[in-house]
Every structure is written in C-alpha cells, then in structure tokens.
Amino acid sequence: MNWDDIGLKMGLEIHQQLNTKSKLFCPCPTELNDDIIDLDIKRKLRPTQSELGQIDRAAFAESKRKLNFNYQNFNYKTCLVESDDEPPHGLNEEALDLSITIASLLNMKIIDEVHTMRKQVIDGSNTGGFQRTSLIATDGFIDTPAGRVVIENLCLEEDAARRINKTNVSKKQSKNTSKNKKDFNDNNDFTTFRLDRLGIPLVEITTDPSIHHPDQIKEVAYILGQILRSTNVKRGQGTIRQDLNISIAKGSRVELKGVQNLDLIPEMAKLEVDRQQNLIKIQEELMSRGAVVEEEIHDLTEIFKNSPSKIIQSAKTVKGIVLKGFNGLIGLEIQKNRRFGTELATYAKKTGVSGIFHTDELPAYGIESDETEAMKKHLNIGENDAIVIVAHDRDVATSALEEVILRSKMAFDGVPEETRKALEDGTSEYMRPLPTQNRMYLETDIQLFKINEERIKVISSYLPELPNEKKERIIKQYSLSEDIANQIVRRGYTEDFEKIISGIQVDSITLGSFFAYSIQELKREGLNLDLIELELITNVFNLLKDNKISKDSIYEIIKEIIIRLDEKSKNHNVNDKNNDKNQDIDPEIVAQNLGLILISDDDVKDIILFVVEKNAKMIEERKMAALGPLMGMAMKELKGKADGKIVNQLLKDEIEKRV
Amino acid sequence: MGYKGSSENFLNKSDVSIGDTVLIEKNDVSYEGILLDRSEDADDGCIVLKLDSGYNIGVNINNATIGLIEKGDKPKISYKPVNIEYDDKKLDISIISTGGTVSSIIDYKTGAVHPVFTAEDLLRSNPELLDLANIDVKALYNILSENMKPEYWVNSAKSIADEVTSGADGVVVAHGTDTMHFTSAALSFMIKSPVPIVVTGAQRSSDRPSSDAHLNLINSVGAAKSEIAEVTVCMHSTLNDDYCDLHRGTKVRKMHTSRRDTFRSIDFEPLANVKEGKVSYLLNDFKKRNQEDLVLNNKIEEKVAIVKTYPGISSEIINYHIDKGYKGLLIEGTGLGHLPENLLDSIKRANQEEIAIVMTSQCIYGRVNMNVYSTGRKLLNAGIISGKDMIPEVAFVKLAWALGQSSNIEEVKNIIQTNLAGELNEKSSTKYFLN
C-alpha cells in the first residue's frame, strides 16, 4: 500500500508508570497486590457538567450503561484517598521531578505552573469518576532514523484501578465470608476493580500525528521506550501501554487503545486503513442510493410469535428499524472478519443486548425465511432496504435500536471519531466516542504548583545518559565494535558490562560479545537468565582472567550454572535442606565437572617438553617444519585444555632451541 | 475579573478578557487557549489558559506577549430546564437549600468548591427526584456550613414552618455537613411538626461523578415522605452507594472529616434505613405523621459558648465569659463530667451571676454523672447543670434555646433536663456505642 497516497497520519501515545516510592496523591505503595481483599466497596457514578458547561460525549456514552462498580480495598496497602473517601494529598514531587527529567530528555518546554485536572472517566476505573492529570511540558522532539518527530505533550497522571475479571473475583470472594459471597452473586452487574493500581504515577507522552509510515511509528515507540528506561520507570508487563492515533485523508481520527505488541503496528495500520476506506465506500454508496435512516422503532413481536429461534423465544419483545438503501451494506466486510453490521452491533451492545439481527444475514440463527419475508412485507421495504432487529426486554430493545439508528446515521459522514480497543489479531472494536476537551475540569482539591527555573536547572544538570550517547561512549571507552555496543545498549546491559569490566581486567570484546550475543543465544535455548546473578557471571570471567578456562568455554559454563540453578529452584520446594547448595554452582567446580579447566602453564610446558623429547628425531630431520605435526600431538596430549596460541608459542620456542 | 496588578495590566493592555481565545508567546514557546479566571487575591504574574486539549496551565507573563485570536463568552454552567408537571397522586416535598457541598460546584474565581447552585439547580442535576414526589425548591442561603450562625437556624426554622403551613408533606433541608448536627438539633427544639423534616448533605461535591449528593437527596426525599415526623439527618450509611441511615436530629454527630458514612447515631440507633427512596423502619419509638400540630418556637439566646476543659486550663477562661456577658456556658468536661478544682471558684462566681452552666463529656459517648467522684459533687454544689447523655453540640444548642425561653436559671435547668426531642434517654443500651 502506498501510505502517502491515502494520506495516512499516525501519532503515538505512550503511558509509562513511574517507579516512585508512593502514589501520586497519597502515601500508598506503587506495587500491585494479589493478597486477599480486605474490603469491597460498591459504588455508582453519574456524569457531571464540566467548567465549560457541556457534558462530555464520551462520559455520556459511559453513563448510559448505568454500571455498578465493586472496588477491592486493602486495609494497609490502599487508603481512603483511593476509595474516594478522603481528599487527595499534595502532588508527589518525586513524580513531578521525574516527569521533568523525562520532558527534558525529550527536549520539551516545561510549563510555568501545573494545574491538576479532572478528566472524566466514568467507566468505573477511577473511584472519583475522573482521572487526575496535569500537563507538565509541551513542544519537544526526538530524532529518529526516519527524521524528527514532534513530541506534543507530556502529562503526569494517576493510573486507573485494575479491572478484575469475574472468574478471578469469585475465587477470591470464596475466601471471604458467606455474606459477602451472597452479595456478590446477587449482583451480577457489578464491574470489579482493584484499587492497588489506582494512583500509581504515570507519564503520558503524545507525539504529533505527523508519522506517515507504520514502520516509523514502531521505531518511534522503540526509541521513546529506550529513553524512558534510562530513567526511574517501572519495568515489566503492564507498566508501559501504547495507544495509536490514526487517520487517512478522507477518514477521521481514531484512537486504538492498548496496543500490546509493537510488531503488530504495521498490520494494525493496514487493517484500520481498510476499515476507514470501506466506511468511506459505504458512505458514497449510501449517498448515491439516497439512503435514509428511519427513526420509527417497530414492534415485531407478533411476527416472530412462533419463531423456532431460541434467542427470539427467550426475549420478551422483538423490535426493528428500517434502514432505507442499506441493503447489502450491513453485511459488507469492512475489516478482517468484521462487517459494518459488527459496528452497529457494538454500539447496540453498550445498552446490554448481546447482538443484533439484520436482513443481510437472515434467514439464520434459527430465524426462518418465511418469518423474514413476513417481516419485510409487514414493514413494506424495497429491495434496496434493510431491517435491523433486536430481541430483548422492551426498553432495552428500544435503546439498543436507538444506538443502531445513531450509528447508521453516522455512516453518512463516513468514519466516526472513536476510541477503539486494539484486539490481538490487529483489528479493533468500538469502545466510546473520542473524548472532547469538555472532559476536563479543574481538580480543586490540589494546589496549583509553580515550577521555577531553578528546579528545572537542577534537574537538567543531572540528566541520565541517553541510549545513543551511551553507545558512542562505550565504543570509545572500551574499543567495542558498533554492533556489540548497539546490542549492549539496546538490550540494557550497559550497567552490567561496565560493572564487570571495571572490576577485572578481561578482554572487553570477549565480555562485550557475551552481553551482546551469548545472552540472547542462551535465551533462545530456553534458559532463564533471571536465575543467575551478576556476581556469578563475574566469577566466570575471573576464571578467564586467571587463564583457568579458555574464552570458548564461557558459554558452556554459564549455561551449566543456569541449568543447575533451575533444577535447584524446582527442587527447592521438595527438599529445602541442601545447605551446601552453593558448591555445585561455583564456576570453577562447574568448569572442572565439565572438564573445561585449562592445564596450568607449568604442566603445559612439561607436556610440550615430553612431546619434543619423544620426537627429537623428527625435529632433527624436518627442523621448523616439525611444528605442525608436533602441535597436533601436543594438543592431543593436552586434550584441548590449554590455549592453542600459548601451546603454539611454547612449542615453537622449544623447537628453535634444538635446531 | 479576578486578575490583579501586573496580570490585570497585562491583559488590559492587550484588550483581552476572560473567555477569549488567545495566543501567548514567550521565549521559545507559545500557547493557544481560552483565557480563564484566576484566584481573586493572587497577583503572582500568572494567567490561566485552557488549551485545546482541555488542560489548564498557568503561564508566567514575564517576557510574554498576548494576542487575541477570537472573542469568546465567559464560560457558564447551566442545565436544561426541567419540565415539572404536577402529579396529584404524589406527595409534595419542599427542598430548602442552605448551601454546602451537597449544592456546591467549582468556583473558577478561587478554584475552590463553592456553594453557587440554587436549589433549583439541585433538582435539575437530580431530575429523578421528580419520580418520587412533587418537588418545590427554595434557596434560603448559599453558605458553607462553617459559616452557619444561630440566626440562620431561626430563619431556617421559620422557612420550614412556612412550607409546612403551605401544605408541604415533608421538608428536606440541604445543608453543609460540618455543622449539620448543630442545625438538626436546633430545628428539633424549635419546631414541632406534623410532617418529616430531613436534613441532608454530601461529603463529596456534586460536581464529581462519584458525589454522594445524589443518593443522599433521593433518600432524603424518601424519608420526607415517611411516617417519621421528626427532624432527622439522612446520610450514607456505609462506604457503599447503597442506602442511607435516618438519624434522630438530636442524637447524631459528624464523626469523620471525609468519609461518606461520617454521620453516626450517638448513644442511640438510626430510626430507619432508606434505600432508593424507600424507608425501612428500624425503631417504632418516634413521633408519627400528624401526631402533633405545627408549633414554631424559634427564640434563642446567642450569647452562649462552649468551653472544653484540658489539663492546665485556667479559670481565666470561665471568668472571661462571665466578664463578657455570656448568659450560658456549655462545658465539655472530662470523663463523667469533671473540671479541675482550680475552676471551682469561677464556676461559683458564674452561678452567682445567674449564668447557666451545663456539663457534658468530651468522651462524646456515654452519660455524665457527677455523683461518683468528689469533684463532681463539688461542681453540682457550685450550681453546674448535668447534661446527662446529651452530645455536647446538642446540649449547646439546647442551652441557647432554653435561654431563649427563660432567663430564670431554675427554669433553664428544668428545660435542659427534660426530654423535648429525643435528646435525652434514660437508658444506655449496650448497642449505643460505635455503631
């Protein structure tokens, strides 16, 4: 696909948790917690007006769902601030300084005074019904191989509560009192969140939408990730989350939330382009047909009175609407395995129905063709027209069809601005409309915070080394090749590398290539590198330094140590009494067990002398030409436990003495 | 506008005002956004912009230039009008708003939560109230409850009586939570009512989606429709958005600075629970609807003070109040109702000067009994009146009201020690503590 022709524009939004001691607005720890829950609190949320006098459309869409929320609390690991029973404490200055650090690394302009805002989010992931967030810096950039990318905004915000799926909950709940268990079972419509994650500080970094190629966005995400990791941020799964903003020239901005895998970005971009292009095709077709969305909601219960369809039979009413000129378009595939009808259905589902039926797919799902025909006749539709029906309670069916009407009308505008959930196969699913600026209003419980120039100066004089600077430095300092240095930095081993090399005199390239390549190879073999501590690796290299092993054995020795550590950790539970457990992972012992300890220099000399004496005749005859055959014999005698170079040198000296 | 000094000059010179879209340029950065108001007192050279992203920021005007991009209106908060249709099958409930968190919203001038809603706005943001009753709304005050004064109790009682006279089947009073239990006690002594009077509020302001205002209001209207023709307080029972407790207005106290379930019955139990506007009665011992005719007696003596004793307290404190002409003193004594002996002379002096002194306990829970230790007996002999099992705040309000009825100290003592509105219980149940 030619991305430029279709006017592809993409931007990236990265959320990264900060590794601060405490949360953004209270003193609770910033760790997730899987202990047994101490308290469940049940809450409801209502949308409110923002300071500009409008109710936000995203918040309004959420409120229609009328969800009830269950918040899991801990007695000591969470507090009243998270449960929205105490005003927030002051802004965490450690988090503020860290975001200023990151902003400075991204060449951004720090704002003069921080105003904490409430961003309405009433899906329950925030107990207050809003996420606290503040703009810290604007207008920065990073340089990538494909050019400069503008970083628009950096915000410091609190992470949301952690959604817990129901199966997890019932397991936990079963440990609680029977009373609680009963409460829970009585109320299936509660969405459960755990408050451990709520309030962990995170920075949100937004690029401008000027990225035109899917491969570049991957590179930008990677570089931003590297910069973030050079500061005090959280590592590991779920600590960094990416959203993708994407549009094409004739389409609209769509936010794909929760992109897990950076490698999937090109595929996601392609699939979203497909979707937007198909929606535009549908728009054009509807225009040319003079299509109309009829607002009347018809009661069709009577027609389906004797329907064999189980879904229809289990519902109290069947209702339908007529979409004039939509025939064939609802069933049109707009994205891999997703039809236009899927879009209509996801809107309808927000009201609690499990799906919709439409004439492009009927008869199906147990609905017979005579029923379909009777319905078409009853509603008197033409061959270009379509019908969408919903089977449910009267009010639910009506509001579901109202949603379908809403979305069908949006089809005349082509691509609606939406927040969509990124799915694992690269497609996406409607979540809610894009939030507007009305979503934000001032958090009045927190003081405005002035950032003076002195503070910025101090922070910017202690900035951590950026990945590129780091790479250039270690190339120079340790005479490494570009590739080794690049791998070490990219994989985050610079610190380990420098720790070892500053302690022992060992060949920098040998050590460098261990971190650059061998570790990856060990990982590919399925070994868990987390088991081995840096001290053990250092000790292996100490053996090399003392000429006790050859550099070719390093890989084998470390591999054996990890295997033994792995066995140990597995046996640990069964037999905890092994007191001299460090014996068998001692590098020298391991090397000995593997027969990889080199023979000492004196022993090598003795063996060489022995070989030379034994072959004195050959030396006499062939002079220096005897080196080759004797070398072979010596190495055989040494069983490879000596460095070939040294053996060669010693042998040469001995022969020279005799000719 | 709220800008002062240098920022005011800066804005005036550029002819921009609040609500305009402006461009600020300084050094190497520029911001475009809507100019918002700022704290009225601050002259710190910062102006507030709302950016297109929705974020507010403060920009220091040092080395900055500002240019107008587009004129705009000052942002306003408003709700669509509610179409109120009278339904003669429903009861008529009056809501009287005095202010507080339950009827508050952000004030952009100070950036603080302020009571700027009218009672009608309250209804507009909670239209479901109309499902429960015909609602009439009156905004009496717009004050935070820490600014409540006895004269406001007097006027509130009058307004409530007017509503009852005009045929209201129940009255809800929206009130700040900080001094809600003072007001509920005052109303309890001032009004005998044939219909329920329910005081309610919120711990989280109405401008946030998690506000407890909605649940409390819905249930208060439910309580105002009930059979309990007393002054009650209706607030969250637990941390859940589930149901409310209905507390007797003379036996309730704010017990936590911020929790939703801050109001607790003290030395007593809630009269009822209210869930989704439906009342479940827990006790049967209350004044029933139409049991009494409306009587308003809102005379009150304002020259009354609370003195809390503490280790090392000096008799100067008591003497000060005598010298300043106070007519009554409510003492929060220690334990069973004690004061250090060095205060005895000043207590005697107060008694001689016809100042009523009532003893309650800073323990909050339990009953004072000054016969157990000698200090107590000395205090009784000095003329101190036992407040029995009254909460200090309730006894304070009752003393002010009693002094409004009579200046004769014996009569005042008689009023204080007679149960008028459920404020005194003879019996201390084991269930009355920390429930």
Side-chain angles (χ1 to χ4, degrees):
Chain A
M1 195 170 308
N2 188 326
W3 307 107
D4 289 335
D5 287 356
I6 54 167
L8 178 66
K9 277 167 120 184
M10 291 182 295
L12 197 63
E13 212 177 283
I14 292 190
H15 299 89
Q16 168 74 60
Q17 283 181 354
L18 305 182
N19 192 27
T20 50
K21 279 190 210 71
S22 57
K23 287 184 172 176
L24 197 49
F25 296 110
C26 71
C28 290
T30 59
E31 309 294 335
L32 299 188
N33 188 352
D34 285 322
D35 294 350
I36 292 176
I37 309 306
D38 293 314
L39 175 71
D40 288 298
I41 297 182
K42 302 214 158 49
R43 291 277 167 77
K44 293 171 178 155
L45 294 174
R46 286 165 72 82
T48 64
Q49 284 200 321
S50 84
E51 68 190 87
L52 287 178
Q54 306 287 320
I55 288 180
D56 174 61
R57 60 184 179 182
F60 185 70
E62 292 293 351
S63 78
K64 279 183 138 176
R65 297 154 68 182
K66 285 185 185 161
L67 290 174
N68 298 308
F69 308 106
N70 178 39
Y71 295 107
Q72 301 180 334
N73 292 253
F74 298 100
N75 285 346
Y76 306 108
K77 301 261 172 79
T78 62
C79 71
L80 290 182
V81 173
E82 286 105 323
S83 72
D84 190 48
D85 280 299
E86 182 174 299
H89 301 190
L91 183 68
N92 178 340
E93 292 193 34
E94 186 192 2
L96 179 69
D97 285 349
L98 191 45
S99 45
I100 293 174
T101 302
I102 294 167
S104 303
L105 290 173
L106 300 174
N107 311 296
M108 301 185 81
K109 317 280 192 307
I110 315 291
I111 65 155
D112 300 330
E113 186 184 66
V114 175
H115 292 219
T116 304
M117 306 296 291
R118 297 171 174 175
K119 188 196 280 184
Q120 269 208 32
V121 184
I122 57 171
D123 64 359
S125 58
N126 294 77
T127 47
F130 49 77
Q131 176 189 36
R132 297 188 185 95
T133 173
S134 39
L135 183 64
I136 303 295
T138 62
D139 203 14
F141 64 87
I142 52 166
D143 286 317
T144 77
R148 182 163 282 194
V149 172
V150 171
I151 309 294
E152 274 187 339
N153 291 318
L154 182 143
C155 299
L156 175 60
E157 48 191 43
E158 49 180 7
D159 205 346
R162 184 153 66 112
R163 183 148 179 191
I164 304 292
N165 68 40
K166 286 195 171 163
T167 49
N168 282 352
V169 175
S170 43
K171 213 198 249 168
K172 285 275 179 212
Q173 289 282 325
S174 66
K175 291 178 185 168
N176 282 357
T177 64
S178 56
K179 184 178 171 286
N180 283 344
K181 197 178 171 190
K182 182 173 166 287
D183 279 355
F184 186 79
N185 290 340
D186 284 349
N187 296 299
N188 276 329
D189 50 349
F190 278 92
T191 309
T192 296
F193 291 94
R194 190 170 301 172
L195 297 186
D196 52 358
R197 202 179 68 184
L198 180 62
I200 295 179
L202 49 85
V203 288
E204 180 198 80
I205 296 165
T206 327
T207 74
D208 77 344
S210 65
I211 305 170
H212 301 291
H213 198 283
D215 289 336
Q216 193 194 357
I217 208 155
K218 209 173 113 181
E219 187 66 21
V220 172
Y222 168 72
I223 293 172
L224 280 173
Q226 288 289 303
I227 293 173
L228 287 169
R229 289 183 70 163
S230 66
T231 68
N232 184 26
V233 297
K234 296 245 183 234
R235 309 261 176 122
Q237 220 191 352
T239 60
I240 184 164
R241 303 193 288 273
Q242 283 102 356
D243 301 341
L244 189 62
N245 280 310
I246 181 165
S247 68
I248 58 173
K250 286 182 182 168
S252 301
R253 186 164 81 89
V254 165
E255 184 181 286
L256 301 176
K257 256 199 148 24
V259 179
Q260 293 293 335
N261 179 356
L262 290 184
D263 293 332
L264 202 60
I265 286 178
E267 174 73 1
M268 291 192 74
K270 190 189 150 296
L271 287 167
E272 179 57 23
V273 168
D274 283 352
R275 199 183 69 91
Q276 298 208 4
Q277 284 180 327
N278 284 321
L279 287 175
I280 293 161
K281 262 186 226 156
I282 289 175
Q283 173 193 21
E284 288 163 357
E285 184 63 26
L286 289 174
M287 294 297 196
S288 75
R289 289 188 193 176
V292 176
V293 175
E294 291 193 350
E295 305 249 355
E296 192 184 344
I297 296 173
H298 305 271
D299 194 317
L300 306 171
T301 316
E302 196 58 28
I303 292 175
F304 291 97
K305 201 170 56 187
N306 299 314
S307 177
S309 158
K310 277 184 190 150
I311 304 169
I312 299 267
Q313 282 311 321
S314 65
K316 288 205 178 99
T317 53
V318 181
K319 296 204 170 222
I321 53 163
V322 175
L323 301 174
K324 281 201 166 312
F326 277 69
N327 188 32
L329 300 177
I330 305 177
L332 195 76
E333 189 176 73
I334 55 169
Q335 198 179 38
K336 188 176 69 182
N337 298 325
R338 301 182 71 82
R339 294 157 203 287
F340 179 57
T342 321
E343 301 284 302
L344 298 182
T346 42
Y347 271 69
K349 279 179 186 171
K350 301 285 172 201
T351 63
V353 301
S354 56
I356 59 172
F357 302 110
H358 56 81
T359 42
D360 282 357
E361 57 180 3
L362 294 179
Y365 309 108
I367 297 174
E368 311 249 331
S369 69
D370 56 333
E371 291 173 307
T372 312
E373 288 313 310
M375 172 176 73
K376 284 181 177 172
K377 206 174 157 199
H378 175 76
L379 294 176
N380 195 23
I381 64 162
E383 61 177 26
N384 261 344
D385 305 338
I387 301 169
V388 174
I389 60 173
V390 169
H392 209 281
D393 297 349
R394 199 188 48 175
D395 290 350
V396 178
T398 302
S399 55
L401 285 171
E402 279 168 357
E403 287 295 309
V404 175
I405 290 170
L406 181 79
R407 179 63 187 89
S408 304
K409 284 183 176 171
M410 285 152 87
F412 294 88
D413 299 325
V415 185
E417 290 194 342
E418 287 170 341
T419 299
R420 299 178 67 85
K421 184 180 173 190
L423 302 177
E424 274 174 23
D425 65 351
T427 62
S428 64
E429 180 181 85
Y430 168 74
M431 284 172 81
R432 54 174 179 256
L434 276 191
T436 58
Q437 64 167 356
N438 298 323
R439 197 182 184 190
M440 298 264 213
Y441 59 113
L442 192 67
E443 167 56 273
T444 46
D445 297 345
I446 294 160
Q447 294 259 302
L448 309 181
F449 194 101
K450 283 201 170 60
I451 303 177
N452 57 35
E453 280 173 36
E454 202 48 41
R455 191 177 194 118
I456 300 173
K457 245 188 235 162
V458 170
I459 289 173
S460 49
S461 60
Y462 290 105
L463 288 181
E465 197 175 29
L466 283 178
N468 245 340
E469 299 165 4
K470 202 175 268 179
K471 188 182 86 181
E472 296 303 328
R473 179 176 62 79
I474 64 170
I475 287 176
K476 258 200 203 148
Q477 197 170 337
Y478 307 108
S479 322
L480 296 174
S481 73
E482 165 100 20
D483 193 58
I484 288 181
N486 194 31
Q487 296 291 338
I488 289 177
V489 173
R490 197 173 177 122
R491 304 196 186 285
Y493 293 125
T494 318
E495 207 181 309
D496 292 346
F497 170 79
E498 295 202 277
K499 223 179 239 170
I500 295 183
I501 205 154
S502 66
I504 52 176
Q505 283 192 319
V506 60
D507 176 41
S508 66
I509 294 170
T510 308
L511 183 64
S513 39
F514 173 77
F515 281 109
Y517 312 121
S518 305
I519 287 188
Q520 276 318 100
E521 226 173 296
L522 287 164
K523 279 185 182 164
R524 268 197 294 276
E525 287 199 53
L527 296 166
N528 181 4
L529 268 292
D530 295 342
L531 291 173
I532 188 163
E533 284 180 19
L534 194 66
E535 198 191 331
L536 275 174
I537 297 178
T538 310
N539 289 344
V540 175
F541 278 93
N542 254 323
L543 293 178
L544 177 69
K545 185 203 78 183
D546 296 341
N547 286 326
K548 289 189 177 161
I549 57 170
S550 83
K551 67 178 183 186
D552 307 321
S553 346
I554 289 171
Y555 187 90
E556 280 307 310
I557 294 168
I558 288 180
K559 182 179 165 183
E560 180 63 22
I561 293 174
I562 296 171
I563 290 170
R564 291 182 184 189
L565 282 167
D566 189 40
E567 275 166 13
K568 218 185 261 291
S569 73
K570 276 178 195 150
N571 294 334
H572 187 74
N573 293 333
V574 192
N575 183 7
D576 206 4
K577 291 164 200 139
N578 190 3
N579 276 332
D580 42 30
K581 54 186 165 190
N582 289 329
Q583 281 278 324
D584 51 348
I585 53 159
D586 179 85
E588 192 158 358
I589 293 171
V590 173
Q592 242 158 30
N593 295 159
L594 292 175
L596 293 174
I597 289 285
L598 294 181
I599 295 171
S600 76
D601 288 0
D602 286 347
D603 290 347
V604 173
K605 269 185 195 153
D606 286 349
I607 288 171
I608 287 172
L609 271 178
F610 169 76
V611 172
V612 169
E613 305 271 308
K614 205 174 157 195
N615 296 285
K617 210 173 165 195
M618 191 206 285
I619 295 170
E620 216 171 289
E621 284 166 10
R622 298 166 69 169
K623 310 266 170 355
M624 283 313 285
L627 183 59
L630 290 189
M631 181 72 194
M633 276 182 245
M635 286 313 278
K636 199 177 165 192
E637 207 66 42
L638 287 161
K639 296 186 184 115
K641 291 180 198 174
D643 194 272
K645 250 165 68 193
I646 296 167
V647 176
N648 193 277
Q649 190 58 51
L650 287 171
L651 201 55
K652 216 160 128 192
D653 293 348
E654 282 304 319
I655 297 171
E656 268 168 4
K657 276 189 207 159
R658 283 152 214 265
V659 293
Chain B
M1 71 169 67
Y3 288 104
K4 291 278 188 294
S6 57
S7 3
E8 188 183 17
N9 286 337
F10 177 76
L11 295 174
N12 283 344
K13 251 190 288 175
S14 323
D15 196 27
V16 293
S17 45
I18 290 161
D20 293 348
T21 304
V22 296
L23 178 72
I24 300 182
E25 290 177 288
K26 55 184 285 180
N27 308 332
D28 49 357
V29 66
S30 65
Y31 303 104
E32 187 185 321
I34 298 168
L35 183 68
L36 294 188
D37 211 341
R38 189 174 175 81
S39 166
E40 292 191 66
D41 307 320
D43 173 22
D44 51 7
C46 255
I47 57 174
V48 183
L49 282 192
K50 177 175 271 297
L51 307 181
D52 202 36
S53 57
Y55 282 95
N56 291 9
I57 58 168
V59 185
N60 192 318
I61 56 171
N62 242 340
N63 300 320
T65 58
I66 186 166
L68 179 71
I69 293 189
E70 199 185 351
K71 274 278 165 200
D73 296 326
K74 194 168 174 172
K76 249 191 250 156
I77 294 208
S78 63
Y79 286 101
K80 279 186 201 145
V82 180
N83 200 7
I84 305 176
E85 277 174 33
Y86 189 81
D87 181 348
D88 53 15
K89 286 190 209 82
K90 289 180 186 151
L91 294 182
D92 299 341
I93 303 297
S94 293
I95 299 180
I96 293 176
S97 168
T98 64
T101 299
V102 69
S103 51
S104 68
I105 195 151
I106 298 158
D107 178 2
Y108 312 117
K109 285 184 183 146
T110 61
V113 176
H114 253 266
V116 294
F117 265 3
T118 64
E120 197 164 12
D121 285 331
L122 203 92
L123 182 54
R124 283 176 177 155
S125 58
N126 297 280
E128 297 97 322
L129 294 174
L130 293 170
D131 297 340
L132 292 174
N134 295 307
I135 305 281
D136 190 22
V137 282
K138 293 220 162 54
L140 183 59
Y141 293 114
N142 228 344
I143 50 170
L144 295 168
S145 76
E146 63 267 32
N147 296 328
M148 261 285 162
K149 292 178 186 172
E151 64 168 282
Y152 300 154
W153 303 335
V154 172
N155 292 337
S156 300
K158 172 83 171 58
S159 298
I160 294 166
D162 287 348
E163 292 302 310
V164 177
T165 310
S166 327
D169 297 310
V171 180
V172 173
V173 181
H175 199 286
T177 53
D178 279 5
T179 62
M180 186 186 281
H181 53 298
F182 286 88
T183 299
S184 69
L187 297 176
S188 299
F189 298 120
M190 289 175 173
I191 310 173
K192 284 183 182 166
S193 167
V195 301
I197 297 165
V198 185
V199 189
T200 192
Q203 285 285 81
R204 306 260 83 82
S205 58
S206 309
D207 57 86
R208 51 166 79 208
S210 61
S211 173
D212 51 332
H214 180 70
L215 187 92
N216 292 344
L217 271 173
I218 289 278
N219 286 329
S220 296
V221 169
K225 290 163 64 184
S226 77
E227 287 304 308
I228 305 177
E230 295 190 14
V231 176
T232 53
V233 165
C234 180
M235 291 287 288
H236 261 67
S237 176
T238 66
L239 289 176
N240 301 326
D241 286 334
D242 190 5
Y243 63 96
C244 289
D245 280 343
L246 197 59
H247 306 274
R248 177 163 279 159
T250 51
K251 280 289 178 195
V252 63
R253 196 174 186 280
K254 186 174 188 177
M255 296 301 284
H256 194 277
T257 56
S258 58
R259 283 170 65 124
R260 286 160 166 75
D261 54 353
T262 174
F263 280 89
R264 300 296 169 123
S265 283
I266 307 291
D267 290 334
F268 201 55
E269 289 172 281
L271 299 169
N273 292 150
V274 197
K275 185 171 181 170
E276 289 164 5
K278 288 191 190 69
V279 177
S280 311
Y281 299 93
L282 301 173
L283 301 177
N284 199 24
D285 182 23
F286 55 79
K287 282 182 193 160
K288 309 286 185 301
R289 189 179 274 275
N290 296 323
Q291 186 179 322
E292 282 182 336
D293 290 333
L294 177 73
V295 179
L296 174 69
N297 182 349
N298 57 359
K299 286 196 290 289
I300 198 162
E301 169 57 60
E302 294 194 19
K303 216 63 177 143
V304 179
I306 299 179
V307 173
K308 179 169 182 162
T309 185
Y310 50 88
I313 188 173
S314 150
S315 56
E316 288 169 17
I317 308 275
I318 305 295
N319 286 329
Y320 168 86
H321 288 95
I322 301 171
D323 295 343
K324 287 287 175 184
Y326 277 78
K327 302 279 190 289
L329 274 188
L330 186 281
I331 307 287
E332 276 192 32
T334 54
L336 286 165
H338 301 131
L339 282 175
E341 289 203 39
N342 61 312
L343 259 56
L344 260 179
D345 285 347
S346 58
I347 297 291
K348 281 180 192 157
R349 187 191 150 203
N351 191 244
Q352 277 154 17
E353 303 202 14
E354 298 270 288
I355 296 166
I357 304 190
V358 178
M359 175 65 76
T360 55
S361 175
Q362 54 190 248
C363 293
I364 296 173
Y365 278 97
R367 179 185 305 275
V368 296
N369 187 333
M370 292 184 280
N371 294 311
V372 179
Y373 296 103
S374 61
T375 316
R377 290 193 288 273
K378 284 177 191 161
L379 287 168
L380 283 174
N381 291 336
I384 232 166
I385 304 166
S386 168
K388 299 184 173 179
D389 68 331
M390 278 191 283
I391 301 164
E393 292 84 353
V394 172
F396 163 75
V397 171
K398 193 177 183 186
L399 178 57
W401 184 80
L403 287 165
Q405 312 304 307
S406 170
S407 52
N408 178 299
I409 213 155
E410 272 311 306
E411 279 177 42
V412 169
K413 182 177 178 182
N414 191 31
I415 293 171
I416 292 290
Q417 299 195 327
T418 306
N419 180 32
L420 299 174
E423 75 278 14
L424 295 173
N425 281 330
E426 288 304 320
K427 187 170 168 170
S428 306
S429 162
T430 51
K431 289 187 75 186
Y432 289 173
F433 184 47
L434 298 179
N435 57 4

